[in-house]
Amino acid sequence: MTQRTARQIVLAARPHGRVQLSDFRVEETTVPVPGAGQILLAVQYLSLDPYMRGRMDDRKSYAKPVQIGEVMVGESVATVIASNHSGYAESDTVVAPTGWRTHCLSDGTGLRKLDATLAPVTTALGVLGMPGFTAYSGLYLIGKPSPGETVVVAAASGRLDRWLGSSPKSPEQERSASPAVRTSAAT
């Protein structure tokens, strides 16, 4: 494998209020070479999620904060471009916790193979990934709505508001939307 350049985005400063470009730094590194039991991933799609803003603050939270100089956290859809791992072959497509970078070494931990014939691979970062699982779990496993109840979603955007707004399973169930709140009758 010839030596190539990779890029990664690191947290350069703790944001105060709105995130600024100066809170990040782009670094160039050499594309790593996988060792025994490792694979090299090339990131194709990166998920930017609201939870990442909280990870930029150095305060007590449910998740460890990103430290100054560390690569920003995030999941991606990536392609295996070199493999020394028996479970992965070159050209496999996976969802992986790569962080904000173009290339990443992995030992296979936390990876999930994707099948583009079942759904577009980008859905692994949305409705069929962590955001969708979070929405589904919150609504159906924690919220446990009963028939006849109205579900009010106070904050959801993009990938999730489309899913939550269409989640009632029966065509008789009411669905309405406003710019701030999407409501639907529970199933």
Side-chain angles (χ1 to χ4, degrees), residues 101-112:
R101 58 180 64 173
T102 58
H103 297 80
C104 184
L105 280 181
S106 174
D107 64 2
T109 302
L111 302 189
R112 181 169 45 103

Side-chain angles (χ1 to χ4, degrees), residues 99-181:
W100 294 9
R101 58 180 64 173
T102 58
H103 297 80
C104 184
L105 280 181
S106 174
D107 64 2
T109 302
L111 302 189
R112 181 169 45 103
K113 286 187 184 181
L114 300 176
D115 184 345
T117 65
L118 298 177
V121 294
T122 54
T123 61
L125 300 176
V127 71
L128 296 179
M130 179 274 298
F133 179 74
T134 301
Y136 181 89
S137 298
L139 182 61
Y140 291 110
L141 303 179
I142 296 170
K144 299 179 183 176
S146 300
E149 290 183 327
T150 298
V151 175
V152 177
V153 179
S157 62
R159 301 169 288 200
L160 295 185
D161 78 339
R162 288 188 290 276
W163 178 81
L164 286 166
S166 62
S167 62
K169 296 176 183 162
S170 166
E172 298 83 34
Q173 292 174 324
E174 177 187 335
R175 281 183 247 175
S176 64
S178 72
V181 178

